[in-house]
Amino acid sequence: APGATEVVMTYNKVNMTIKMGEKDLPGGNDALKKFVGKSVTTVFDEKGKIQSIKNLESLVGDDPMLSRMMSEDSMKQMMGQASLMATPDRPVKPGDSWEFEVDYPMPMMKMSMKGKYTYEKDEEVEGTECARLFLAGTLTMDTGAETPKKEGESEDPQAAQTREMLKAMGFKINESDISGVMHYDFSLGNIAKSEMDMKVTMSMK
């Protein structure tokens, strides 16, 4: 499409640790190992908004649960983390900050992230001048919210069952802390490099 830009995004490393109390639970990375080395192509319009995601099937394969959780619509929202979730509403300079809030509708719940970007300084990355941005945010979860459905579309019975089970278990996020450093490439008009850390404490009955 005129003005569209295609960006190939490759998973180089994926790691997830799950703890119950002070003990690590095994298998946290098993479902994610298949992502390493795989790529998807994200198509951005002239304003930097994600239009579509190509080759998504290479990630989800034939796993029905992953297919539901990682639909193109949900991935568009999640992959927005690799871009700016909110651009400033004014010209900014090093030292300035601006806030953001974004929702991630999933088949069995709605997750929301809110936080703040701080433009720390200009920094060169692989020979290109970039703005170094620091992100600080929190994550919330709502198991009472259904995923918006398209006209004529019915809800996935398994997703509904899972949501009801989570509600009955009192599954909730107690604490969350998200931080990261992003480098915004002035010449690309997009994020060139992103490193994120997320720590979430959950509980259930």
Side-chain angles (χ1 to χ4, degrees):
T5 301
E6 292 192 356
V7 178
V8 178
M9 305 176 69
T10 303
Y11 286 85
N12 295 319
K13 181 173 66 174
V14 182
N15 183 64
M16 179 171 64
T17 301
I18 302 175
K19 289 180 177 288
M20 182 170 288
E22 296 300 318
K23 295 183 178 180
D24 289 347
L25 296 183
N29 278 320
D30 291 350
L32 302 179
K33 288 179 180 177
K34 65 178 71 175
F35 291 4
V36 178
K38 299 291 180 64
S39 300
V40 294
T41 300
T42 307
V43 182
F44 294 89
D45 63 18
E46 65 278 4
K47 295 183 179 179
K49 184 178 180 181
I50 297 176
Q51 284 186 319
S52 62
I53 301 173
K54 300 179 180 180
N55 203 33
L56 188 56
E57 64 277 2
S58 70
L59 291 183
V60 301
D62 56 1
D63 188 317
M65 181 59 76
L66 276 179
S67 297
R68 285 189 290 271
M69 292 184 64
M70 300 178 66
S71 66
E72 183 172 358
D73 286 343
S74 64
M75 285 297 289
K76 281 180 183 178
Q77 301 225 25
M78 286 190 287
M79 291 176 77
Q81 294 182 38
S83 184
L84 282 179
M85 285 175 273
T87 55
D89 58 1
R90 64 194 187 284
V92 292
K93 63 184 183 303
D96 290 345
S97 299
W98 63 98
E99 297 181 346
F100 68 86
E101 185 168 358
V102 62
D103 292 333
Y104 303 112
M106 302 172 70
M108 66 291 293
M109 69 182 76
K110 183 181 80 171
M111 302 189 81
S112 301
M113 185 192 298
K114 63 179 180 179
K116 182 173 70 173
Y117 287 112
T118 299
Y119 181 0
E120 293 187 326
K121 62 181 180 178
D122 292 336
E123 191 168 69
E124 192 173 288
V125 176
E126 297 181 359
T128 303
E129 189 73 10
C130 296
R132 178 186 170 96
L133 309 177
F134 178 75
L135 179 152
T138 57
L139 192 70
T140 58
M141 178 180 68
D142 181 4
T143 56
E146 295 186 19
T147 303
K149 294 181 284 295
K150 298 176 182 177
E151 186 176 350
E153 182 183 30
S154 58
E155 183 174 23
D156 185 327
Q158 186 172 351
Q161 183 180 14
T162 302
R163 187 176 61 253
E164 291 305 312
M165 179 184 69
L166 292 174
K167 288 169 63 178
M169 293 167 59
F171 194 69
K172 64 179 181 178
I173 292 178
N174 295 330
E175 297 180 32
S176 64
D177 179 53
I178 302 167
S179 62
V181 173
M182 298 179 169
H183 287 87
Y184 181 88
D185 187 325
F186 294 112
S187 61
L188 283 177
N190 215 315
I191 295 295
K193 183 179 179 181
S194 174
E195 298 180 8
M196 301 282 290
D197 287 311
M198 180 183 297
K199 182 177 181 180
V200 181
T201 303
M202 300 179 178
S203 65
M204 60 185 175
K205 298 177 183 176

